[in-house]
Amino acid sequence: MARGERTIGATVRPITKLLAICLVAGVIVAGMAFPFVGGLGLVSNDASDTVNATSSDLAAGQLPTVTTVADNQGAPLAYLYEQNRTPVDLQQMSPAMRGAIVAIEDRRFYEHDGVDWTGTLRALVTNQTAGSTQQGASTLTQQYIKNYQLYVTAQTESERLRATEPTYARKLREVRVALQLERELAAGRTKREAKDEILERYLNIVFLGNNSYGVAAAARTYFNTTPERLTIPQAALLAGMVQSTTQFDPTRHPQAATGRRNEVINQMLGQGMITQQQAQEAVASPLGIVEPLATPSNGCIGAGNAAFFCKYVVDYLGEAGISAEQLNRGGYTIRTTLDRNAMNLMHQALTDEVPPDQRNVADTMATVQPGRDKHRVVAMGANRVFGVNGDALETSYGLPWEPVNLGAGSVYKVFTAAAALEKGLGINYQMDIPPDGYASPIYRDGSGRPFPVRNSAPMPPRLSMTDALAQSPNTGFVKLMEYTGVAPVVDMAVRLGMRSLAEPDPDGVSIADTVREQNQGSFTLGVTPTSVLELANVGATIASSGMYCPPTPIESITDASGAPVPLSEQPCEQVVDPALADTLMTGLSKDDQPGGTAAAAASSQGWNRPMAGKTGTTQQNKSAAFLGFTQQYAGAVIVFDDSSSPRPLCDSGGDNPPFPCGEGNIFGGKTPALTWYKAMNPLLAPLPVAPLPPTSPRYLQGGGNEQVPEVIGDQVGEATEELRDAGFQVQQVEVGNRAPAGTVVGQNPRGSVLPDQVVTLQVSNGQVPAPPTPPSGPPPLAGAVGTGG
């Protein structure tokens, strides 16, 4: 009996398999006509809707493709992608590639209507008989549908699993969609044209291992070539990998990959696609895989010294409404404003001054091109390497554009000067320079006591505003801000370009609001967080005759089809009187001259052009800055301690970079100015020398209401009466002079004055002063005065 039972059991099992085959075959036939109902989990109406929707998506769908970020000449800087894919037309794929994929994956591709029924039934019988999958039956059309759902439609892991689940339900969906898709694509054209489009789509979507999607990416990855140049053995290797990119990976399993490649070649030979000689030569050829694989770097890390700029582009576009996800899938071509030469020169200057591995010291710079219609960011960078390895001092933080918490120091005196000009003073106004330890009667420190200010070097009691901008006395500018008020200076900073100061925090309060509310007299000393890029753009605004434009890194954007993509950017605006900006630029033109705080740095680099500049150093020397600009380029540099616990920085000059120390001595005229001149001097060298803009009498001498009468040469009595009639207090100082006694030979101030200022008259006593006694020792050494900057 046992023997009989075994016989009966052996007979039943084949019958069961046969019944299963018949059942599944019936399901396939039913699937051709209508959605299957029941255990497969499909409902007729829902299934029909799904098929129609999927077919429509497939007919018009956009594949995830690589976005290219390029410089201003169109040369690629970086690639952004979720899937490394560059779609190409079928005619841009070699005949060998087209033939190889058809030969090995779907030999009746140009005959069937989306489903190869003969192959499907054969595979069904083979797989059911074996009890496992031994043969595949999906056509290229069906594979395209599966790949589309896997690489385009699916957004979650569960959706990706569903797109590849080994169930008859999925197979039936693919059958229905394949038939409908081919019918839709064939409408109004030949079957061959419809088939060619499906083949093109398939070869652009299929995954071919090592992060390459589509034959164009695979051709570059494995052979560093283009798809139209793929040879028979190269095409056969790629086609063979479709079955398993892991098993037939030529970098890990070269022997298996070679065997699979040769199998494809034999299929091509058997189907008459190639000759016997071509087959023999292809089989005999080596794999020829490039080492290392030519996979493009993904993301801004691959942009080299332009990586910070690239990251700014991504962030800028995100704020403009194009998200990182869109960039990684959309296949955009982004032509930026980056000038490669400017970037290389900047990077060289930054790393020359401060090596990338110098702990506690970041050197950052941005350069903007002035203009009346656009302010192009031509370069930005830092001495740090853009990356994620913190142990190697790499960073992905936006050093060149995010605000530096330690501030820019006396560069902010530019805003105080601009506010004073707007309020009626002139750039020639003689500023009072109170002595060290000046305690403002208006401004208070955090404890409510008078705000004490010191200068970093001795100062004369009066300086013109132009000379004060060059020599940077702290006491003089705090005194000047007593006249302007804090709010107008803060507003001027925001108008000229420091827009982040006005950005509200989560509680709706901005830095500008806080400074105004607390009446912070220290604002003119640059203690607030400062963006290097915004500071450079301040220079561009002044150099553009007061025309503010947002600093943009974008020249143009096109989508995957080549169509222009409009970008929403803030418009340009005239923020100050053009004559004010032009006169202010001239008023800033002495910083590189003898006596200016950047004179030594300018001289060391052979600088010989007119320019505007301003140095800055913060309290305790934890950061220092330099803003410099011509009418061609504007640049800013900030050097600061980028550690979590900032310390003062020492700057001994020479070949020694700044370093953290107990009591700092870094100033804006040292490493920051040196960085600027090293980057800008060679950049500007090929360009013609641009003169300073013309000045305006209104902003040279000040407005009419603030003018002191000119009384030099008058008799002292007449001069005193005229000044008092004009509302000024007068004091007299007798001096030796050849002029007749009682003649006014000097007055201070001249031009524009503050309302409470006393006019001092120098009155001749009619006697020639005796010559001074010559010094007995050697003459003193000449040297530049460095103060406040």
Side-chain angles (χ1 to χ4, degrees), residues 128-144:
Q128 285 294 328
T129 301
S132 63
T133 301
Q134 301 293 316
Q135 290 185 8
S138 294
T139 63
L140 290 177
T141 310
Q142 291 171 277
Q143 289 185 47
Y144 167 64

Side-chain angles (χ1 to χ4, degrees), residues 250-294:
T251 63
R252 297 186 178 185
H253 309 292
Q255 188 173 353
T258 301
R260 177 63 174 169
R261 180 201 68 174
N262 293 346
E263 181 182 349
V264 176
I265 293 170
N266 288 331
Q267 285 292 327
M268 295 174 73
L269 174 63
Q271 295 174 40
M273 295 180 178
I274 58 176
T275 66
Q276 183 69 44
Q277 181 178 351
Q278 287 175 313
Q280 290 174 348
E281 291 174 353
V283 168
S285 66
L287 289 179
I289 304 300
V290 296
E291 295 183 12
L293 295 179

Side-chain angles (χ1 to χ4, degrees), residues 24 77 195 660:
V24 175
L77 294 174
K195 286 289 189 178

Side-chain angles (χ1 to χ4, degrees), residues 565-601:
V565 177
L567 192 65
S568 176
E569 293 183 290
Q570 182 183 352
C572 299
E573 55 178 317
Q574 188 72 45
V575 293
V576 294
D577 184 349
L580 185 156
D582 291 346
T583 304
L584 177 61
M585 184 171 177
T586 299
L588 288 163
S589 64
K590 285 190 173 183
D591 204 40
D592 63 318
Q593 302 298 314
T597 52

Side-chain angles (χ1 to χ4, degrees), residues 541-574:
T541 298
I542 297 172
S544 304
S545 297
M547 178 65 76
Y548 169 85
C549 301
T552 178
I554 305 300
E555 202 65 71
S556 65
I557 305 178
T558 54
D559 63 19
S561 69
V565 177
L567 192 65
S568 176
E569 293 183 290
Q570 182 183 352
C572 299
E573 55 178 317
Q574 188 72 45

